[in-house]
Amino acid sequence: MSPFNNDLEVPDGWGFVQTIDRRDFLKLTTTGLLVMFFVEPLMGRGSLELPQGGRGGGTPADLNAFLHIGADGRVTCLVGKVELGQGAMTSLPQLAAEELDVPLSAVDIVMGDTDVCPFDSGTFGSLSIRQFGPVLRRAAAEAKGVLLEMAAEKLQVPVTDLAVEAGTVVHKTDRAKRVTYGQLTEGKRIERRLEGRPALEPVSAFTIAGKTAPRRDALEKVTGKAKYAGDIVPTGALHARIVRPPAHGAVLATLDTSAAEKVPGVRVVRDRDLVAVLHAHRDEADKALGLVKATYTPSASTLTDATIFDHLVKTAPAGDTPFRGGDLAAGEKLATSVFSETYRKGYVAHAAMETHSAVAAVENGKVTVWAGTQTPFPLKSQVAAALGLTADKVRVITPYVGGGFGGKSASQQGVEAARLAMAAGVPVRVVWSREEEFYFDTFDPAAVHTIRSGIDAAKKIVFWDLVAVGSGSRGVEHIYDIPNHRTVVRGGWNGNPAGMHPFGIGPWRAPGANANAWARESQIDVMAAKAGMDPVEFRLHNLADARMRRVLEAAVKAFGWTPKPGPSGRGLGVACGIDAGTYAVNMAQVHVNKATGHIQVVRLLSVQDMGVVVNPEGAAQQTEGCLTMGLGYSLAEEVHFKNGELIDSNFDTYQLPRFSWVPKIETVLLESPNLAAQGAGEPAIVPMGAVLANAVFDAIGVRVHQLPMTPARVLAAMKA
Amino acid sequence: MKTVSFTLNGKPTRVTTDENRLLLWVLRDDLGLTGTKFGCGQASCGSCTVVINSDAVRACATAVGDVEGKTVTTIEGVATDGRLHPLQDAFIKHAAFQCGFCTSGMIMGAYAKLLKDPKTPPAEVLKELEDHLCRCGAHVRIVDAVTTAAAAMKGGAR
Ligand code: FES
Ligand code: FES
């Protein structure tokens, strides 16, 4: 039966607190207990940065509060992270409820509102729980300490005699002595700064966190009530469609908007390089855009998705050598078999189902931008810079985000909406078309890996020499027990020479680690096959890392893996990866149609050690998402292009995983109580390319050296 | 300009507009029903799926004039009399979504199948969803949700 009442009201503790509907939100926080944030010691390196120039607006005391307890006893978490589908809006309140000893339903959460939430550099890197979780827990523990002290004073008893039960402070023996959190904070304004390190509840004592909680976004998402940026409609808002070039590197030569201007209801707006047609209805704006006549000088780029690999090797910087040890030449002398292989992978799109969307409105000199973004605070700075405003004159509000995967770390659409709203004098909605989404996407970069490696007579890996071009250093380290090794990384996210990539690249779920694991774990299998060893046994034979051995052994058990050297004809594959502090092993079974080259995945297993698991159901969802998304880049996803022009710019040609591709998925999260919570949103996708390539090899004895493993590539590899 | 009359989520509705305009944007921009999502604009993602009479249809490729005299159901109209539809219950129960952007379309696609025949086997319902994309990879849970809902409806739940 439905857990909801007859009006389908969103129950307490569900959904978002939509702060814009509560102009009194700041008023709300003028009484009650606020726990403020103190930067350095709590945050550690690289997690949350110092607020840049403050958040402006609001009263100074409201800056940086990330927990509020009101007179009604309700707890509000104020979190700069955003809800992308990863479930942070469900799991973060679990942590607060846990530390404060209040029911989960008494906790609200506000996310991604730059006027209300403390600064946050962005929602990426599987950090929501890993790094923000401990901060929120400390804030909650601090609040509980304060409330206990206040209760002791009010009840005239020593603090040690008190305990908290569901938001009420109760005397341990004289239970008539009690006072609620709400009664304690009522009519008062209390501020606390987080400076010390309050004792945190031991993970083993968790009663709320560590258990599955229903997703707070569930009711809104299944009833169509969930608001995404493109669903926000300020009064008088117009849709904008922006005039765009046909190819990267094409330059506008002539522009004639006169035909569009004649259409009733259409406005043409220009702000320097930005030209847009505006209309109240999106489809009419689309039509008007079609009337704009623009000509361009063609792109100078001559690159294609086929020539890009040689180009990358030619243009990538000389690079760094982040890992080296032993003596390569000496290692090679010990080798009885030497392997020299090259692995390639194309550009992959983020392709979130929600295209980049933003709505901007200007009121009394202050710009509010509702944006589907992973980075509301950086977007606020970008908008301020683009409009020449001080930061306090810009507010970014992040409603539900329809998927990010790294692609919404860049939020150009928010700046576009703000510029056009300013220029037009009316609220403006910018919802990119799917074609714009592909055009401006910051793709997962194409990559080329060359690996030379060798094993000795004892089947030990004696040397490893890897050059990774394009994919950066995340997860590039070999994880095995190899005495003589060198890892060279040429090109990554920063410092690439201009023109190395013909369009934007950027972080894509576990940035670069997918390509790095694909090459490494393929090479390990190549060696295992030559050694005549089962690929799991070969890995264990060459693996010293006890944590990875445990995960691999758990995978063997969960999968029912029986050792057999490849190719065994069974179509089984294994691959390992480390990402965001989590150790992941994937196993797969595939069928390969030798006539068509089509790969059907029939079984997938993921085993992970991710430390303490805050919301097991959420972690399982993320893992399933990783494996399913991983099918895409492994089997089909690749952006085709020619001379700066994208050949794939919508889902008619760019293939995402579908129901018929998705096999049975098993997820195992190992108990790991002594390790703090690690990332859950990315690690399981990392081994996907290799686990499938290895399974294909096991099935048909043929190795595919390029992702995605399309039917044509499988057939070509069979012929080679 | 033309006045198009149809039944929308059980209510008689009239819109006066160019009848060639797209149903998706009339729903979203003129009628304020934003639960129906835009994902591709070319009938290849399923995000904008609504039910016309008892067929799942891509609103991004349907002219509003085509619904004259017909019954249109959007995600906002699936729960009736203050009660969630078994599909919505099942999507919540199985957490069959992450970002939720594909969810409206997924539910509407399955809803159409089960509306035509509440005894439709889950595998048939899923065939309908083959052309619905979900980037978050919620597929295995959507399969579970559809299976649960189909079983409930076969057992007489509405
Ligand atoms: S928006 Fe209609 S099918 Fe994609
Ligand atoms: S839940 Fe995000 S696209 Fe399906």
Side-chain angles (χ1 to χ4, degrees):
Chain A
M1 219 28 252
S2 163
F4 306 106
N5 65 28
N6 275 345
D7 300 328
L8 296 177
E9 291 273 318
V10 179
D12 277 352
W14 282 55
F16 250 145
V17 178
Q18 293 280 359
T19 44
I20 197 69
D21 300 332
R22 297 197 182 178
R23 282 179 192 272
D24 56 349
F25 188 81
L26 291 175
K27 233 187 290 159
L28 177 85
T29 56
T30 53
T31 64
L33 171 64
L34 276 170
V35 184
M36 322 293 283
F37 108 54
F38 176 76
V39 184
E40 240 297 298
L42 283 174
M43 307 300 160
R45 282 173 300 124
S47 48
L48 297 162
E49 290 156 22
L50 271 165
Q52 288 165 353
R55 284 176 309 104
T59 56
D62 287 339
L63 286 178
N64 310 331
F66 45 162
L67 201 71
H68 174 257
I69 300 169
D72 54 0
R74 292 200 71 75
V75 176
T76 307
C77 306
L78 306 161
V79 178
K81 302 280 176 208
V82 306
E83 177 59 53
L84 301 160
Q86 85 282 34
M89 74 183 293
T90 302
S91 43
L92 290 172
Q94 278 185 288
L95 291 173
E98 184 72 59
E99 292 295 339
L100 276 163
D101 288 318
V102 298
L104 200 48
S105 60
V107 183
D108 296 318
I109 185 164
V110 177
M111 300 182 80
D113 181 335
T114 62
D115 262 14
V116 179
C117 306
F119 178 86
D120 181 86
S121 59
T123 306
F124 40 64
S126 296
L127 297 176
S128 298
I129 292 299
R130 186 154 61 122
Q131 293 195 330
F132 190 72
V135 176
L136 191 63
R137 284 182 65 197
R138 289 209 178 92
E142 174 78 14
K144 182 174 157 187
V146 172
L147 290 160
L148 277 169
E149 275 167 30
M150 291 169 68
E153 197 175 303
K154 183 153 188 157
L155 301 173
Q156 297 286 303
V157 294
V159 105
T160 46
D161 289 355
L162 296 173
V164 182
E165 293 169 8
T168 303
V169 185
V170 186
H171 192 276
K172 283 180 193 158
T173 50
D174 182 0
R175 294 184 57 85
K177 287 206 173 94
R178 51 174 56 224
V179 59
T180 65
Y181 281 177
Q183 287 163 345
L184 288 169
T185 58
E186 193 172 3
K188 297 193 191 76
R189 163 76 188 209
I190 313 144
E191 281 181 28
R192 284 297 280 235
R193 243 161 219 290
L194 260 191
E195 300 187 17
R197 286 189 165 246
L200 296 182
E201 199 147 320
V203 165
S204 54
F206 275 7
T207 57
I208 298 173
K211 304 225 163 35
T212 289
R215 288 188 65 121
R216 290 175 165 238
D217 47 358
L219 183 60
E220 291 173 310
K221 286 181 176 175
V222 304
T223 54
K225 285 185 184 162
K227 294 279 187 219
Y228 301 79
D231 302 333
I232 310 281
V233 195
T235 315
L238 300 180
H239 278 280
R241 292 303 319 279
I242 299 166
V243 178
R244 305 288 195 189
H248 287 272
V251 179
L252 185 66
T254 66
L255 180 70
D256 174 5
T257 58
S258 55
E261 269 158 70
K262 288 196 193 100
V263 180
V266 166
R267 286 182 59 187
V268 175
V269 172
R270 265 165 238 238
D271 176 45
R272 288 160 286 163
D273 56 320
L274 209 53
V275 182
V277 294
L278 270 47
H279 193 284
H281 302 140
R282 165 59 180 250
D283 47 348
E284 305 200 74
D286 287 345
K287 235 193 272 164
L289 182 67
L291 297 175
V292 173
K293 291 186 200 82
T295 61
Y296 294 82
T297 57
S299 170
S301 174
T302 54
L303 291 169
T304 72
D305 48 272
T307 62
I308 188 69
F309 301 104
D310 289 344
H311 169 79
L312 289 179
V313 171
K314 236 182 273 159
T315 54
D320 304 317
T321 306
F323 306 103
R324 74 159 86 215
D327 178 340
L328 276 183
E332 186 156 356
K333 272 204 202 100
L334 296 173
T336 51
S337 305
V338 171
F339 309 85
S340 194
E341 309 278 341
T342 301
Y343 303 91
R344 298 182 173 87
K345 118 171 216 317
Y347 293 93
V348 177
H350 292 93
M353 294 314 298
E354 177 204 35
T355 59
H356 279 66
S357 304
V359 178
V362 187
E363 207 181 0
N364 303 325
K366 180 152 180 169
V367 183
T368 302
V369 182
W370 290 262
T373 176
Q374 292 179 247
T375 51
F377 286 87
L379 174 59
K380 168 186 160 135
S381 311
Q382 288 156 22
V383 169
L387 297 182
L389 296 173
T390 52
D392 61 320
K393 291 281 182 265
V394 181
R395 176 182 191 181
V396 174
I397 299 176
T398 318
Y400 286 115
V401 183
F405 318 109
K408 287 173 185 160
S409 294
S411 308
Q412 177 191 330
Q413 91 285 8
V415 177
E416 291 171 346
R419 283 173 62 186
L420 291 169
M422 202 58 121
V426 292
V428 166
R429 319 166 68 183
V430 172
V431 174
W432 281 358
S433 67
R434 183 55 60 185
E435 289 74 15
E436 288 173 292
E437 188 73 14
F438 271 90
Y439 184 88
F440 289 112
D441 196 3
T442 50
F443 297 126
D444 183 45
V448 183
H449 289 72
T450 48
I451 310 180
R452 294 191 76 247
S453 64
I455 53 174
D456 66 8
K459 302 174 182 181
K460 290 278 188 188
I461 307 172
V462 286
F463 84 101
W464 178 267
D465 190 8
L466 163 73
V467 181
V469 176
S471 55
S473 60
R474 183 158 163 176
V476 77
E477 186 174 11
H478 77 70
I479 56 181
Y480 296 93
D481 191 18
I482 308 176
N484 310 297
H485 64 96
R486 176 174 70 176
T487 298
V488 177
V489 175
R490 298 184 53 208
W493 312 103
N494 307 307
N496 294 329
M500 178 171 150
H501 295 287
F503 27 59
I505 58 146
W508 191 100
R509 204 168 195 169
N514 291 294
N516 290 333
W518 132 256
R520 178 190 65 238
E521 293 294 308
S522 294
Q523 183 83 357
I524 297 294
D525 253 48
V526 167
M527 294 191 286
K530 180 71 190 241
M533 258 178 112
D534 170 74
V536 171
E537 288 187 340
F538 181 78
R539 281 175 171 79
L540 288 169
H541 185 61
N542 283 284
L543 188 61
D545 185 334
R547 200 173 151 209
M548 187 58 89
R549 292 185 70 92
R550 172 171 173 248
V551 181
L552 197 48
E553 277 156 4
V556 166
K557 228 167 130 203
F559 196 80
W561 182 282
T562 51
K564 226 178 202 188
S568 74
R570 298 176 300 176
L572 303 186
V574 60
C576 309
I578 303 173
D579 190 72
T582 290
Y583 277 48
V585 171
N586 290 9
M587 287 184 171
Q589 182 166 22
V590 303
H591 287 319
V592 182
N593 183 326
K594 287 191 191 169
T596 63
H598 175 258
I599 299 166
Q600 181 74 41
V601 183
V602 293
R603 193 179 164 197
L604 276 176
L605 165 74
S606 157
V607 180
Q608 293 170 93
D609 171 358
M610 55 172 71
V612 170
V613 182
V614 174
N615 182 350
E617 181 84 350
Q621 284 171 36
Q622 284 294 301
T623 302
E624 291 156 8
C626 279
L627 300 194
T628 306
M629 194 170 178
L631 293 173
Y633 81 77
S634 302
L635 302 179
E637 287 184 50
E638 175 175 28
V639 177
H640 297 95
F641 59 94
K642 195 180 170 183
N643 306 344
E645 202 172 326
L646 298 183
I647 295 165
D648 298 306
S649 61
N650 209 322
F651 298 128
D652 51 348
T653 60
Y654 191 89
Q655 290 295 307
L656 299 190
R658 291 167 188 269
F659 282 94
S660 62
W661 304 19
V662 181
K664 184 170 171 226
I665 292 180
E666 296 146 85
T667 317
V668 177
L669 306 175
L670 296 181
E671 292 265 339
S672 193
N674 299 321
L675 182 68
Q678 306 292 314
E682 297 167 298
I685 196 173
V686 163
M688 281 304 290
V691 78
L692 296 182
N694 293 345
V696 167
F697 172 78
D698 191 57
I700 59 171
V702 169
R703 182 151 297 275
V704 185
H705 284 85
Q706 184 164 348
L707 292 184
M709 295 181 282
T710 57
R713 287 201 180 117
V714 172
L715 291 177
M718 285 170 65
K719 276 197 201 111
Chain B
M1 283 289 195
K2 194 186 154 188
T3 298
V4 184
S5 306
F6 55 105
T7 305
L8 176 59
N9 296 333
K11 292 196 195 85
T13 302
R14 295 155 73 86
V15 255
T16 303
T17 190
D18 172 359
E19 73 265 31
N20 296 316
R21 284 190 52 217
L22 296 172
L23 179 61
L24 171 62
W25 299 108
V26 173
L27 288 171
R28 288 183 55 87
D29 290 346
D30 303 39
L31 299 167
L33 294 180
T34 56
T36 305
K37 301 301 185 203
F38 163 77
C40 70
Q42 55 154 230
S44 54
C45 78
S47 307
C48 66
T49 303
V50 299
V51 174
I52 299 180
N53 293 344
S54 59
D55 293 318
V57 168
R58 304 291 185 253
C60 71
T62 304
V64 66
D66 290 355
V67 304
E68 171 68 42
K70 294 186 180 158
T71 298
V72 178
T73 309
T74 69
I75 186 67
E76 289 90 345
V78 170
T80 47
D81 306 327
R83 284 184 43 214
L84 294 178
H85 186 272
L87 273 165
Q88 293 172 311
D89 267 341
F91 267 65
I92 293 179
K93 174 163 179 251
H94 293 281
F97 57 84
Q98 290 182 26
C99 79
F101 205 78
C102 69
T103 310
S104 301
M106 292 282 181
I107 290 178
M108 296 319 290
Y111 175 85
K113 276 280 176 198
L114 292 169
L115 187 66
K116 265 201 198 126
D117 178 5
K119 295 194 167 48
T120 309
E124 284 301 309
V125 180
L126 290 167
K127 260 192 218 155
E128 172 73 33
L129 297 187
E130 181 69 3
D131 289 336
H132 288 244
L133 303 179
C134 170
R135 185 46 150 179
C136 297
H139 299 74
V140 288
R141 282 165 190 270
I142 297 171
V143 171
D144 290 347
V146 163
T147 307
T148 298
M153 291 189 67
K154 201 172 163 195
R158 62 102 250 167

